Amino acid sequence: MNLKEGIAERRSIRGYLDTPVSKELLKEVITLASRAVSAVNAQPWKFHIVTGEPLAAIRKENLNCIEQGCPEEFEDAAVDGIYKTRRIEIAKQLYGAMEIAREDKERRTWWNNRGVNFFDAPAGIIITRDKILGMSYNFDVGCVAQNLCLAAMAHGLGTCVAYQPLTYLHVLREVLGISEDEEFVCGVAIGYPDPAFAANHVRSNRESVDKTACWYGFED
Ligand SMILES: Cc1cc2nc3c(=O)[nH]c(=O)nc-3n(C[C@H](O)[C@H](O)[C@H](O)COP(=O)(O)O)c2cc1C
Protein backbone atom coordinates (compact mmCIF):
# COMPACT_ATOMS: atom_id res chain seq x y z
CA MET A 1 0.00 0.00 0.00
CA ASN A 2 1.42 3.38 -0.94
CA LEU A 3 0.97 6.63 0.96
CA LYS A 4 -1.86 7.85 -1.24
CA GLU A 5 -3.80 4.62 -0.86
CA GLY A 6 -3.21 4.60 2.89
CA ILE A 7 -4.59 8.11 3.31
CA ALA A 8 -7.54 7.41 1.03
CA GLU A 9 -8.43 4.06 2.57
CA ARG A 10 -7.99 4.84 6.28
CA ARG A 11 -11.16 4.56 8.27
CA SER A 12 -12.11 4.15 11.90
CA ILE A 13 -12.16 0.51 12.96
CA ARG A 14 -14.62 -0.34 15.73
CA GLY A 15 -14.49 -4.15 15.68
CA TYR A 16 -11.31 -6.18 16.32
CA LEU A 17 -10.06 -9.74 16.28
CA ASP A 18 -8.85 -11.11 19.63
CA THR A 19 -5.34 -11.54 18.19
CA PRO A 20 -2.91 -9.75 20.52
CA VAL A 21 -0.61 -7.04 19.16
CA SER A 22 2.98 -7.37 20.28
CA LYS A 23 4.84 -4.66 22.18
CA GLU A 24 7.52 -4.76 19.47
CA LEU A 25 5.02 -3.98 16.72
CA LEU A 26 3.35 -1.22 18.71
CA LYS A 27 6.76 0.30 19.37
CA GLU A 28 7.49 0.30 15.65
CA VAL A 29 4.15 1.96 14.88
CA ILE A 30 4.65 4.64 17.54
CA THR A 31 8.23 5.29 16.43
CA LEU A 32 7.06 5.87 12.85
CA ALA A 33 4.11 8.01 13.98
CA SER A 34 6.46 10.18 16.02
CA ARG A 35 7.87 11.62 12.78
CA ALA A 36 4.84 13.95 12.92
CA VAL A 37 5.27 17.71 12.68
CA SER A 38 5.23 19.74 15.89
CA ALA A 39 5.73 23.42 16.66
CA VAL A 40 9.38 24.15 17.52
CA ASN A 41 9.78 20.35 17.40
CA ALA A 42 8.28 20.28 20.88
CA GLN A 43 6.92 16.72 20.41
CA PRO A 44 4.43 17.43 23.19
CA TRP A 45 2.86 13.96 23.11
CA LYS A 46 3.04 11.03 25.48
CA PHE A 47 1.63 7.57 24.76
CA HIS A 48 0.18 5.27 27.40
CA ILE A 49 -0.19 1.87 25.77
CA VAL A 50 -2.30 -0.68 27.58
CA THR A 51 -3.26 -4.31 27.08
CA GLY A 52 -3.92 -7.43 29.20
CA GLU A 53 -4.66 -7.04 32.90
CA PRO A 54 -4.55 -3.25 33.24
CA LEU A 55 -6.84 -2.91 30.21
CA ALA A 56 -9.25 -5.41 31.77
CA ALA A 57 -9.11 -3.40 35.02
CA ILE A 58 -9.93 -0.17 33.15
CA ARG A 59 -12.86 -1.87 31.43
CA LYS A 60 -14.21 -3.24 34.69
CA GLU A 61 -13.97 0.15 36.39
CA ASN A 62 -15.55 1.93 33.41
CA LEU A 63 -18.51 -0.46 33.51
CA ASN A 64 -18.84 0.14 37.27
CA CYS A 65 -18.91 3.89 36.60
CA ILE A 66 -21.55 3.48 33.90
CA GLU A 67 -23.67 1.30 36.19
CA GLN A 68 -23.42 3.81 39.04
CA GLY A 69 -24.19 6.73 36.72
CA CYS A 70 -20.91 8.52 37.51
CA PRO A 71 -20.58 11.95 35.87
CA GLU A 72 -18.64 11.98 32.62
CA GLU A 73 -15.26 13.67 33.01
CA PHE A 74 -14.19 14.54 29.49
CA GLU A 75 -15.97 17.39 27.76
CA ASP A 76 -16.75 16.63 24.17
CA ALA A 77 -17.62 19.98 22.53
CA ALA A 78 -21.37 20.32 21.95
CA VAL A 79 -22.04 20.69 18.26
CA ASP A 80 -24.76 22.44 16.34
CA GLY A 81 -25.65 23.38 12.78
CA ILE A 82 -23.74 21.62 10.00
CA TYR A 83 -21.58 19.84 12.58
CA LYS A 84 -24.63 18.35 14.24
CA THR A 85 -25.89 17.28 10.80
CA ARG A 86 -22.60 15.50 10.07
CA ARG A 87 -22.58 13.88 13.49
CA ILE A 88 -26.09 12.51 12.89
CA GLU A 89 -25.07 11.35 9.42
CA ILE A 90 -22.12 9.23 10.63
CA ALA A 91 -24.19 7.90 13.55
CA LYS A 92 -26.91 6.83 11.11
CA GLN A 93 -24.33 5.11 8.91
CA LEU A 94 -22.83 3.23 11.86
CA TYR A 95 -26.13 2.27 13.52
CA GLY A 96 -27.48 1.30 10.11
CA ALA A 97 -24.52 -1.00 9.42
CA MET A 98 -24.87 -2.55 12.89
CA GLU A 99 -28.66 -2.80 12.53
CA ILE A 100 -29.21 -0.91 15.77
CA ALA A 101 -32.68 0.61 15.75
CA ARG A 102 -33.35 4.06 17.25
CA GLU A 103 -35.61 2.62 19.95
CA ASP A 104 -33.33 -0.34 20.76
CA LYS A 105 -32.00 0.98 24.08
CA GLU A 106 -30.19 -2.22 24.98
CA ARG A 107 -28.10 -2.36 21.80
CA ARG A 108 -27.43 1.38 21.94
CA THR A 109 -26.09 0.98 25.46
CA TRP A 110 -23.98 -1.98 24.29
CA TRP A 111 -22.58 0.15 21.45
CA ASN A 112 -21.81 3.07 23.73
CA ASN A 113 -20.12 0.86 26.33
CA ARG A 114 -17.92 -0.71 23.65
CA GLY A 115 -16.77 2.79 22.66
CA VAL A 116 -15.93 3.71 26.25
CA ASN A 117 -13.98 0.44 26.51
CA PHE A 118 -11.78 0.95 23.42
CA PHE A 119 -14.19 -0.96 21.16
CA ASP A 120 -13.04 -4.25 22.75
CA ALA A 121 -9.68 -3.86 20.98
CA PRO A 122 -6.73 -5.95 22.22
CA ALA A 123 -4.85 -2.75 23.04
CA GLY A 124 -5.57 0.89 23.71
CA ILE A 125 -3.40 3.97 23.51
CA ILE A 126 -4.11 7.07 25.55
CA ILE A 127 -2.39 10.13 24.18
CA THR A 128 -1.66 12.94 26.60
CA ARG A 129 0.37 16.12 26.51
CA ASP A 130 2.21 18.09 29.14
CA LYS A 131 -0.29 20.36 30.92
CA ILE A 132 2.28 23.14 31.00
CA LEU A 133 1.81 23.56 27.25
CA GLY A 134 -1.30 25.38 26.04
CA MET A 135 -4.22 23.99 24.09
CA SER A 136 -2.53 25.02 20.82
CA TYR A 137 -0.26 22.00 21.30
CA ASN A 138 -3.29 19.76 20.84
CA PHE A 139 -2.77 20.38 17.14
CA ASP A 140 0.63 18.64 17.24
CA VAL A 141 -0.87 15.72 19.11
CA GLY A 142 -3.60 15.51 16.47
CA CYS A 143 -0.89 15.18 13.84
CA VAL A 144 0.81 12.34 15.71
CA ALA A 145 -2.56 10.61 16.17
CA GLN A 146 -3.28 10.69 12.43
CA ASN A 147 0.23 9.41 11.75
CA LEU A 148 -0.41 6.64 14.27
CA CYS A 149 -3.51 5.54 12.34
CA LEU A 150 -1.59 5.47 9.06
CA ALA A 151 1.50 3.77 10.51
CA ALA A 152 -0.75 1.13 12.08
CA MET A 153 -2.42 0.53 8.74
CA ALA A 154 0.96 -0.03 7.11
CA HIS A 155 1.32 -2.98 9.50
CA GLY A 156 -2.15 -4.39 8.86
CA LEU A 157 -3.60 -2.88 12.03
CA GLY A 158 -6.78 -0.87 12.41
CA THR A 159 -7.40 2.07 14.75
CA CYS A 160 -10.13 4.30 16.03
CA VAL A 161 -9.22 7.66 17.52
CA ALA A 162 -11.88 8.30 20.14
CA TYR A 163 -12.97 10.51 23.01
CA GLN A 164 -15.25 7.85 24.45
CA PRO A 165 -12.41 5.99 26.26
CA LEU A 166 -11.73 9.28 28.09
CA THR A 167 -15.18 9.29 29.70
CA TYR A 168 -13.84 8.42 33.18
CA LEU A 169 -10.44 10.07 33.46
CA HIS A 170 -9.98 9.14 37.13
CA VAL A 171 -10.06 5.45 36.12
CA LEU A 172 -7.23 5.97 33.62
CA ARG A 173 -5.24 8.02 36.14
CA GLU A 174 -5.73 5.45 38.89
CA VAL A 175 -5.04 2.27 36.91
CA LEU A 176 -2.15 3.63 34.82
CA GLY A 177 -0.80 6.16 37.31
CA ILE A 178 -1.09 9.05 34.86
CA SER A 179 -0.05 12.21 36.67
CA GLU A 180 -2.15 15.36 37.01
CA ASP A 181 0.60 17.15 35.04
CA GLU A 182 -0.66 15.40 31.92
CA GLU A 183 -3.68 16.56 29.94
CA PHE A 184 -5.70 13.92 28.09
CA VAL A 185 -6.03 14.49 24.35
CA CYS A 186 -7.58 11.32 22.93
CA GLY A 187 -7.78 7.56 23.14
CA VAL A 188 -6.91 5.23 20.26
CA ALA A 189 -8.18 1.67 19.95
CA ILE A 190 -5.70 -0.52 18.05
CA GLY A 191 -5.69 -4.10 16.80
CA TYR A 192 -6.31 -6.34 13.83
CA PRO A 193 -9.61 -5.40 12.16
CA ASP A 194 -12.44 -7.94 12.23
CA PRO A 195 -13.53 -8.16 8.59
CA ALA A 196 -16.93 -9.55 9.66
CA PHE A 197 -17.74 -6.48 11.79
CA ALA A 198 -20.22 -4.46 9.71
CA ALA A 199 -19.28 -0.99 11.03
CA ASN A 200 -15.72 -1.50 9.80
CA HIS A 201 -17.04 -1.26 6.25
CA VAL A 202 -18.66 2.13 6.72
CA ARG A 203 -17.13 4.77 4.52
CA SER A 204 -17.70 8.18 6.10
CA ASN A 205 -18.58 11.10 3.83
CA ARG A 206 -16.45 14.15 3.13
CA GLU A 207 -17.45 17.62 2.05
CA SER A 208 -16.38 18.53 -1.46
CA VAL A 209 -13.22 20.63 -1.73
CA ASP A 210 -15.35 23.07 -3.76
CA LYS A 211 -17.00 23.94 -0.45
CA THR A 212 -13.99 23.81 1.87
CA ALA A 213 -11.25 25.48 -0.19
CA CYS A 214 -10.87 29.14 -1.13
CA TRP A 215 -8.48 29.80 -4.01
CA TYR A 216 -6.52 32.99 -4.64
CA GLY A 217 -4.55 34.03 -7.72
CA PHE A 218 -5.40 30.97 -9.83
CA GLU A 219 -6.53 31.22 -13.43
CA ASP A 220 -9.93 29.49 -13.06
C1 LIG B 1 -10.76 13.64 18.31
C2 LIG B 1 -11.64 12.53 17.81
C3 LIG B 1 -12.54 11.93 18.69
C4 LIG B 1 -13.33 10.86 18.23
N1 LIG B 1 -14.16 10.25 19.12
C5 LIG B 1 -14.85 9.17 18.74
C6 LIG B 1 -15.63 8.45 19.68
O1 LIG B 1 -15.66 8.77 20.86
N2 LIG B 1 -16.33 7.38 19.25
C7 LIG B 1 -16.30 6.97 17.94
O2 LIG B 1 -16.95 5.97 17.62
N3 LIG B 1 -15.54 7.61 17.02
C8 LIG B 1 -14.83 8.69 17.39
N4 LIG B 1 -14.03 9.35 16.48
C9 LIG B 1 -13.96 8.87 15.10
C10 LIG B 1 -14.79 9.74 14.17
O3 LIG B 1 -16.15 9.47 14.37
C11 LIG B 1 -14.38 9.45 12.72
O4 LIG B 1 -13.02 9.81 12.53
C12 LIG B 1 -15.23 10.24 11.71
O5 LIG B 1 -16.58 9.86 11.79
C13 LIG B 1 -14.73 9.98 10.28
O6 LIG B 1 -14.76 8.61 9.99
P1 LIG B 1 -13.45 7.82 9.54
O7 LIG B 1 -12.43 7.97 10.62
O8 LIG B 1 -13.92 6.40 9.38
O9 LIG B 1 -12.99 8.43 8.26
C14 LIG B 1 -13.25 10.42 16.89
C15 LIG B 1 -12.33 11.03 16.03
C16 LIG B 1 -11.54 12.07 16.48
C17 LIG B 1 -10.55 12.71 15.55
Side-chain angles (χ1 to χ4, degrees), residues 10-12 14 90 119 160-165 202 204 206:
R10 186 215 52 81
R11 67 190 57 195
S12 293
R14 297 180 175 86
I90 186 66
F119 307 92
C160 186
V161 172
Y163 282 149
Q164 278 178 288
V202 167
S204 57
R206 288 296 183 276

Side-chain angles (χ1 to χ4, degrees), residues 10 12 37 55-56 64-65 68 98 102 111 126 134 164 169:
R10 186 215 52 81
S12 293
V37 292
L55 184 54
N64 273 342
C65 288
Q68 289 166 23
M98 296 304 293
R102 219 183 146 71
W111 181 253
I126 296 119
Q164 278 178 288
L169 299 180

